[in-house]
Amino acid sequence: MNNLDNLSPFDRHADALLRFCAGLSWLVLASFFAVAFSATYARAEDVSCGGNNLIEELAKSDPAKLETLRKEAAATPNGHGLLWKIEKSGVKPSWLYGTMHLTDPRVLKLSDTAQAAYKTADTIVIETDEILDPKGIMKVMAESPELMMFTDGTTLEKVIPADKLDGVKAALSERGIPLSSVNKMQPWMLTSMLALPACEMARKKQGAAFLDIKLAQEAKDNGKQIAGLETIRDQLGAMASLPAKFHIDGVIEMLALGPQMTDLFETMTVLYTQGDVGMIFPLMRSVSPDGTANGQNYAEFEEKMVNARNRTMAERAEPIIAKGNAFIAVGALHLPGEQGLVSLLKKQNYTVTAQ
């Protein structure tokens, strides 16, 4: 019997969830490339993602494990809440808001308090304001193609294990994507594209903006000042610096999941809308069947894609916050934990409280 036969439905999804989260920060940029394939991968009129909440499945299959995870999440510093007020004597308060880089209507809807803070802020800050310029990503790609493409003769066909190649080709074909059209892409680019479910692709085709872009673009249209905490090159470099095997394994597992990716999106979206950000990493660390989320790969992912970027964002946010009345919107996974943005801002002698 295959060991996977003994796993709960959530366990079988866990390792792909880790890679999905790695790709999630890149849904914004990957969409510029993925949209080229959307005509065959999604129907524009089908904008309902569906999917099952895997937390509910875990509650039925292993409630004891779920309770353990909830206790760990509850112990995560600053693990609950999307909106945080940043205060210091003599400075007008600013706000920190955790986003999810999706077009899902549930994600796009801000709470009344968040909406008021956003509307009255003088400066709107996102991870990278360069994303507002569609030519920005192409400029970086032209200057540093190695961040997204193989430039040494390597191809996906050469690096994907031989016994997995036919499966990868078949899965790509089902999405209307011949391997030859993406053969020169770095594996993480392919993973990020394939992480998008049909509904996200359809909404993108119809012109829907991801939450971060929506916030920044509307603010720009209203004459507000826009700022970014990172550059596109910073973000590309972080993703490209992860081990190649991590990304290759991610490609294979992402393709193998197929329509089950909608379950991952639904679970992440529900956790997000509930403000249960601190639940995400404990889930990934604790339920991965092969231990991937507990080993070196996970530690390196967390350091490069989360912790190191948190330090950069906190440093660059400080002078903006010092001016007062800023609304800072970044991926929600950057908020919790001892090395999260909330903790780092507190170390800068700000009072930061959940709203």
Side-chain angles (χ1 to χ4, degrees):
M1 177 182 293
N2 190 306
N3 289 336
L4 291 177
D5 294 336
N6 295 320
L7 298 172
S8 70
F10 196 93
D11 286 331
R12 289 194 292 271
H13 289 301
D15 200 47
L17 179 60
L18 169 65
R19 290 178 176 83
F20 162 64
C21 286
L24 185 61
S25 294
W26 275 97
L27 292 179
V28 174
L29 294 181
S31 67
F32 286 108
F33 296 90
V35 72
F37 306 110
S38 61
T40 51
Y41 183 35
R43 294 177 300 162
E45 70 272 15
D46 181 9
V47 294
S48 175
C49 288
N52 299 315
N53 184 346
L54 298 176
I55 299 295
E56 293 178 353
E57 292 185 10
L58 187 59
K60 296 175 182 177
S61 64
D62 197 342
K65 175 182 285 186
L66 180 58
E67 180 61 23
T68 298
L69 295 178
R70 283 176 171 159
K71 289 180 179 178
E72 183 179 350
T76 300
N78 315 307
H80 190 83
L82 297 178
L83 181 67
W84 297 77
K85 190 174 185 179
I86 308 169
E87 299 175 283
K88 181 185 286 188
S89 179
V91 179
K92 192 171 183 178
S94 288
W95 304 85
L96 176 65
Y97 187 75
T99 67
M100 194 174 185
H101 306 316
L102 299 176
T103 64
D104 189 300
R106 292 170 293 178
V107 172
L108 297 180
K109 183 176 175 57
L110 302 184
S111 67
D112 291 343
T113 305
Q115 184 67 23
Y118 166 71
K119 280 188 171 295
T120 58
D122 295 324
T123 303
I124 304 301
V125 184
I126 57 175
E127 289 180 15
T128 173
D129 56 337
E130 294 176 350
I131 198 65
L132 294 176
D133 178 9
K135 295 180 181 179
I137 181 69
M138 303 310 295
K139 180 180 179 182
V140 175
M141 186 174 179
E143 294 174 348
S144 303
E146 72 281 357
L147 293 177
M148 288 178 283
M149 309 292 288
F150 291 120
T151 58
D152 59 357
T154 302
T155 63
L156 289 172
E157 198 165 10
K158 292 178 181 178
V159 299
I160 293 172
D163 62 334
K164 301 293 184 181
L165 188 57
D166 286 343
V168 170
K169 288 181 179 179
L172 282 170
S173 180
E174 290 175 2
R175 292 161 170 80
I177 306 174
L179 179 60
S180 60
S181 69
V182 296
N183 210 12
K184 296 290 291 183
M185 284 185 179
Q186 291 283 357
W188 71 264
M189 282 293 298
L190 185 57
T191 305
S192 295
M193 286 195 301
L194 296 177
L196 284 166
C199 66
E200 277 293 314
M201 300 287 280
R203 288 193 289 255
K204 173 63 177 172
K205 275 190 69 176
Q206 293 177 335
F210 296 96
L211 176 57
D212 309 64
I213 296 178
K214 180 176 181 291
L215 293 173
Q217 190 61 60
E218 288 181 358
K220 183 178 180 180
D221 292 343
N222 289 325
K224 291 181 181 289
Q225 183 175 349
I226 310 298
L229 301 178
E230 298 176 296
T231 65
I232 289 176
R233 191 182 300 276
D234 289 338
Q235 294 186 333
L236 283 169
M239 184 65 84
S241 70
L242 289 168
K245 186 178 185 304
F246 179 85
H247 294 307
I248 294 168
D249 290 346
V251 170
I252 294 169
E253 292 173 15
M254 195 72 70
L255 291 173
L257 278 173
Q260 293 174 326
M261 274 302 300
T262 57
D263 294 339
L264 297 179
F265 267 83
E266 178 61 17
T267 305
M268 292 287 291
T269 302
V270 170
L271 285 173
Y272 173 81
T273 57
Q274 293 173 345
D276 289 334
V277 181
M279 184 70 161
I280 297 173
F281 280 150
L283 282 169
M284 290 191 294
R285 284 193 294 263
S286 301
V287 300
S288 178
D290 61 2
T292 301
N294 296 306
Q296 182 178 354
N297 280 349
Y298 176 81
E300 190 166 2
F301 156 73
E302 188 173 23
E303 170 58 24
K304 291 184 176 180
M305 287 305 299
V306 184
N307 296 340
R309 292 178 60 206
N310 288 349
R311 293 190 291 271
T312 296
M313 287 192 279
E315 179 181 352
R316 294 175 181 172
E318 203 284 328
I320 298 173
I321 297 171
K323 294 180 180 178
N325 202 27
F327 185 92
I328 302 171
V330 299
L333 290 180
H334 293 287
L335 272 56
E338 293 181 355
Q339 298 189 62
L341 278 177
V342 174
S343 291
L344 293 178
L345 291 176
K346 289 179 178 179
K347 291 178 181 178
Q348 292 178 351
N349 298 317
Y350 287 100
T351 298
V352 188
T353 52
Q355 301 300 298

